[in-house]
Amino acid sequence: MFGEEYFKTRKRLTDVVVRVLGLADKTDAEKTPLLDNDITKGLSNPFLFVVCGEVNAGKSTLLNGLFGEDVCKTNVLPETDRVQWYRYGEEAHDKDVTPILEERYRPVDFLMDFNLVDTPGTNSVVIGHQKITDRFLPTSDLIFWVFPASNPWGASIWNFICKQHKKNKGMLEKSVFILQQADLRDENDMEVILEHMRDLAQQRIGMVPPIFPVSGRLALQAKTETPLAEDLWRVSGYPALEKHISDIVTDSPARRQVLENVRDAAAKVLHNIEGKMELRTKLLEGNEGFLREIEAEVDKEREKQSSDFVGKFSGMREVFISQSAEIKEVVRKRLSVFPTLKSFFSAENIPKMIESSLVESVKSAVEKQAGDDGNHLVDECRKHWETVRPKIKEHLSIELGDFDQETDGFGKTHERFITRMGRASRQAVVNLKIRGGFDMQLVERRAHLKKWLYVALILLMVSGVTGAMKLAPYPYLSFGLLACALACVAGFMMRALSTRKEILESLDERLEDARVPFADALGVDYRDGVRDFYIEYGNLLGSVRQHISDAKLELQPNLEQWNGLFLELKEIEQNL
Ligand SMILES: Nc1nc2c(ncn2[C@@H]2O[C@H](COP(=O)(O)OP(=O)(O)O)[C@@H](O)[C@H]2O)c(=O)[nH]1
Ligand SMILES: [Mg+2]
């Protein structure tokens, strides 16, 4: 294959162009210079070789030698009087373009990159033939002037060359002279003939193009043998010719320019892509900043709600005070004279009853307050969400549902908050250890009052006995004892009331002292509960966060592909 290096670079560039266009599509970048047909068409343009020479010079055989197969018909008689344009086609077929131009499509790989124009001969007299030759010569990459080695000085071809040379400046630079059918001459003759041709060329056209003595027939024969018949191949003179063709293909400035233009266009589009990606990265960074602002706002809102808790908590203290007032009333009743007396005869646990009643009432009051506060928090979140939604729509074009579409109104968190506060309040009351101290006081009181009662009863009994036995000084002794018993009962009653007062005072003091630790004990749970609401609220922004990180992930492979393409394009540039 001729010009392997060139075709490798061209293929690579074509691949890069396809991938650059793909990336441009993905990143929405401007592709204009690469869409310009004039620029990219050059990538697939085949090379054009034109073969000129007299009838029977061996032109068709020369081409078959290059193909390595019998593509062009050869004949002693003029095979055709038409110009034949050999092009690639998946099926072999011929197409008349004009009465003197015929397109011949052949499934030969070589033709994908090279088109060949086989002219019928400079000595053929076909009207209009000249016109066709005029059309192909200027655009051709290479012109083979074919001379039969048997007689390379035929007048008609030399006249034709002179005429074309005058019309087409630069034509000779891309011309080579082929001395075909060299196998018919021996080596010494060839030397003489070559010398003679050089002189003739100098005389007629003022320069000597490269001259290659070859034998198309031997070349074809060599190529059709497997493996290639090396000796025949060398003798055919084709190695030098093919090397020359390769050099022309690789060094063609026009072709190189095409590659450079395509490379420049690809670089431009790559630059556009870079711009788009930078913009996108900036936008995403902006989005992240925006999201951080909103998150900070949510944090601030949480802080605010947690710190407002001092105010709300005075409410919790009030709850405790009002509940303790009720409790004191109950205690006062329980410790009045008759219930106290009754309590000597029936088992009852006043401290336990007091504690559980306090626990229950405080718990339900705290739960109610927590329920109200929870509703308030949900309202605050809802209000805030309605300020966030339009901002996210404006900045990130993300449509978020309203608060109740996006959440269940924080129902579970709300319930958890209430349960948590209820439990905390129970624990807080128990931790106050009101019961322990109270218990001791009651035991002491009972023991003390019992003494009074027992003494009164004993006196009453003794007074009865002495009265019945009429012991002297009757009845003064029994009346005296009765009076003493009554005095003891009065003492009992007075002590019962005064100890009740003492106990109530100390209970009052204890409850008073407990107010602050009680509220403090709830503080931690309350703050955590508030935080729960805002954690759940913050999660609402999760879809936005996800959207941004998805977009970033999407960007990553594009960045990598861009880097790869940039490096490849740089390498191609160095090869050019
Ligand atoms: N010995 C020999 N004969 C050749 C060679 N090339 C062509 N011929 C013969 O020359 C005749 C004309 O060849 P052809 O390729 O058709 O010439 P065209 O008219 O210029 O295309 C045919 O009979 C070929 O067999 C060659 O390299 N060596
Ligand atoms: Mg021919």
Side-chain angles (χ1 to χ4, degrees):
M1 181 59 171
F2 312 116
E4 242 168 89
E5 271 305 306
Y6 167 82
F7 287 110
K8 225 163 79 187
T9 310
R10 190 170 92 170
K11 164 101 186 41
R12 203 163 165 206
L13 189 56
T14 311
D15 284 356
V16 168
V17 164
V18 171
R19 278 180 285 144
V20 166
L21 284 174
L23 189 57
D25 270 338
K26 268 201 267 177
T27 52
D28 221 8
E30 183 63 60
K31 309 185 273 195
T32 317
L34 271 185
L35 294 182
D36 184 347
N37 251 341
D38 285 342
I39 290 184
T40 46
K41 186 175 71 187
L43 276 184
S44 52
N45 257 2
F47 280 74
L48 181 63
F49 294 169
V50 179
V51 188
C52 296
E54 289 172 9
V55 173
N56 278 341
K59 299 181 294 296
S60 303
T61 313
L62 170 82
L63 293 181
N64 289 340
L66 289 176
F67 290 140
E69 53 186 293
D70 242 327
V71 176
C72 312
K73 285 187 194 137
T74 58
N75 215 318
V76 189
L77 297 170
E79 202 269 316
T80 172
D81 52 7
R82 287 189 226 184
V83 172
Q84 289 144 18
W85 182 2
Y86 286 94
R87 317 177 63 171
Y88 180 80
E90 295 197 345
E91 272 174 32
H93 66 280
D94 300 341
K95 190 170 132 195
D96 294 341
V97 184
T98 69
I100 40 152
L101 175 65
E102 186 184 26
E103 286 179 348
R104 293 190 161 185
Y105 292 90
R106 296 290 180 269
V108 177
D109 287 352
F110 178 87
L111 290 176
M112 284 183 180
D113 296 317
F114 299 93
N115 279 358
L116 300 164
V117 174
D118 190 3
T119 58
T122 48
N123 46 1
S124 68
V125 272
V126 178
I127 315 145
H129 177 194
Q130 190 76 41
K131 249 188 179 163
I132 300 291
T133 314
D134 283 353
R135 174 185 150 188
F136 283 112
L137 284 188
T139 53
S140 63
D141 292 281
L142 188 57
I143 308 164
F144 299 101
W145 300 99
V146 182
F147 303 85
S150 52
N151 174 23
W153 18 85
S156 75
I157 180 149
W158 283 101
N159 289 341
F160 188 66
I161 295 173
C162 288
K163 209 159 118 200
Q164 289 298 334
H165 167 52
K166 277 184 200 129
K167 267 203 285 190
N168 288 310
K169 291 292 159 212
M171 182 198 74
L172 289 177
E173 277 76 49
K174 52 186 185 186
S175 289
V176 291
F177 284 5
I178 307 287
L179 264 177
Q180 238 286 60
Q181 309 183 26
D183 57 305
L184 298 177
R185 293 286 191 143
D186 68 36
E187 235 171 84
N188 296 338
D189 285 353
M190 274 320 272
E191 276 309 312
V192 179
I193 294 171
L194 276 174
E195 201 46 49
H196 191 76
M197 276 200 75
R198 287 190 197 104
D199 289 348
L200 197 57
Q202 195 63 49
Q203 272 174 32
R204 300 290 304 262
I205 52 176
M207 66 168 291
V208 184
I211 306 176
F212 296 95
V214 301
S215 164
R217 174 178 290 177
L218 294 186
L220 181 61
Q221 214 178 317
K223 275 191 182 172
T224 43
E225 276 179 36
T226 21
L228 177 90
E230 297 281 355
D231 285 349
L232 273 183
W233 178 241
R234 207 170 34 252
V235 176
S236 74
Y238 267 60
L241 174 63
E242 290 199 348
K243 181 178 181 304
H244 183 79
I245 297 175
S246 259
D247 290 347
I248 297 261
V249 169
T250 308
D251 300 338
S252 159
R255 297 286 172 160
R256 191 157 294 260
Q257 191 58 51
V258 167
L259 296 191
E260 269 166 27
N261 290 347
V262 174
R263 195 212 68 87
D264 287 350
K268 260 192 205 117
V269 175
L270 214 50
H271 184 72
N272 295 344
I273 294 172
E274 185 186 23
K276 279 280 176 185
M277 286 197 304
E278 250 170 38
L279 217 74
R280 184 111 184 93
T281 310
K282 276 215 187 88
L283 189 78
L284 283 179
E285 278 166 4
N287 286 350
E288 277 180 322
F290 168 69
L291 188 63
R292 270 199 298 278
E293 266 169 39
I294 290 188
E295 283 170 338
E297 226 175 86
V298 172
D299 276 350
K300 229 159 85 190
E301 196 65 19
R302 177 173 57 87
E303 284 297 318
K304 196 179 127 215
Q305 294 302 333
S306 311
S307 60
D308 266 9
F309 120 101
V310 179
K312 290 208 199 86
F313 242 71
S314 56
M316 294 270 177
R317 284 187 204 175
E318 292 315 315
V319 164
F320 190 78
I321 292 167
S322 74
Q323 295 310 319
S324 53
E326 272 174 38
I327 290 299
K328 277 186 297 191
E329 189 49 36
V330 173
V331 171
R332 208 177 59 79
K333 278 191 189 140
R334 290 286 181 133
L335 297 189
S336 54
V337 177
F338 286 105
T340 304
L341 208 53
K342 221 174 105 192
S343 75
F344 289 160
F345 305 101
S346 62
E348 66 174 351
N349 191 342
I350 298 179
K352 190 174 170 213
M353 181 212 79
I354 283 172
E355 189 183 75
S356 47
S357 146
L358 189 61
V359 162
E360 280 318 308
S361 54
V362 165
K363 182 171 168 252
S364 67
V366 164
E367 277 174 352
K368 186 179 171 305
Q369 171 110 25
D372 292 350
D373 288 1
N375 283 336
H376 173 73
L377 285 175
V378 173
D379 283 345
E380 288 298 313
C381 291
R382 184 181 283 116
K383 256 194 266 164
H384 188 254
W385 184 245
E386 291 315 315
T387 66
V388 165
R389 260 174 85 205
K391 281 196 245 171
I392 287 185
K393 174 139 198 269
E394 189 196 324
H395 274 76
L396 309 178
S397 323
I398 300 177
E399 190 81 65
L400 294 168
D402 73 19
F403 186 79
D404 295 294
Q405 280 171 324
E406 297 277 339
T407 68
D408 62 346
F410 295 168
K412 285 217 177 82
T413 312
H414 196 191
E415 253 170 52
R416 227 178 16 247
F417 183 55
I418 293 173
T419 318
R420 170 187 213 137
M421 291 313 292
R423 201 184 304 132
S425 69
R426 167 193 291 273
Q427 196 54 46
V429 172
V430 173
N431 286 351
L432 293 176
K433 297 201 170 79
I434 292 172
R435 184 171 147 187
F438 193 41
D439 232 350
M440 288 234 306
Q441 276 178 318
L442 285 181
V443 169
E444 271 170 28
R445 177 177 185 254
R446 189 177 292 157
H448 179 71
L449 290 182
K450 266 183 184 164
K451 278 182 204 154
W452 282 92
L453 199 60
Y454 291 157
V455 172
L457 285 176
I458 289 168
L459 285 173
L460 199 62
M461 239 166 58
V462 175
S463 138
V465 170
T466 52
M469 293 172 68
K470 295 189 177 163
L471 286 182
Y474 180 82
Y476 302 107
L477 178 61
S478 49
F479 277 133
L481 286 168
L482 183 65
C484 284
L486 288 178
C488 278
V489 170
F492 166 83
M493 278 161 65
M494 267 163 57
R495 281 305 290 154
L497 290 180
S498 71
T499 50
R500 179 179 80 169
K501 192 168 171 251
E502 275 165 27
I503 287 178
L504 274 175
E505 269 169 10
S506 96
L507 179 65
D508 194 27
E509 220 169 79
R510 212 168 282 153
L511 289 174
E512 184 74 24
D513 289 350
R515 261 190 323 180
V516 173
F518 170 76
D520 284 352
L522 293 191
V524 174
D525 282 289
Y526 192 84
R527 266 197 210 97
D528 285 353
V530 169
R531 202 177 51 220
D532 271 359
F533 276 93
Y534 281 91
I535 286 175
E536 177 149 10
Y537 181 56
N539 287 346
L540 276 188
L541 295 169
S543 67
V544 179
R545 228 171 280 131
Q546 190 61 41
H547 173 86
I548 295 175
S549 72
D550 283 354
K552 271 179 115 180
L553 276 181
E554 228 170 73
L555 203 59
Q556 196 49 37
N558 289 356
L559 277 171
E560 279 163 17
Q561 203 188 351
W562 188 92
N563 276 333
L565 285 169
F566 181 81
L567 291 177
E568 251 181 279
L569 215 52
K570 271 268 165 276
E571 257 176 54
I572 291 175
E573 187 180 343
Q574 274 159 13
N575 287 348
L576 283 176

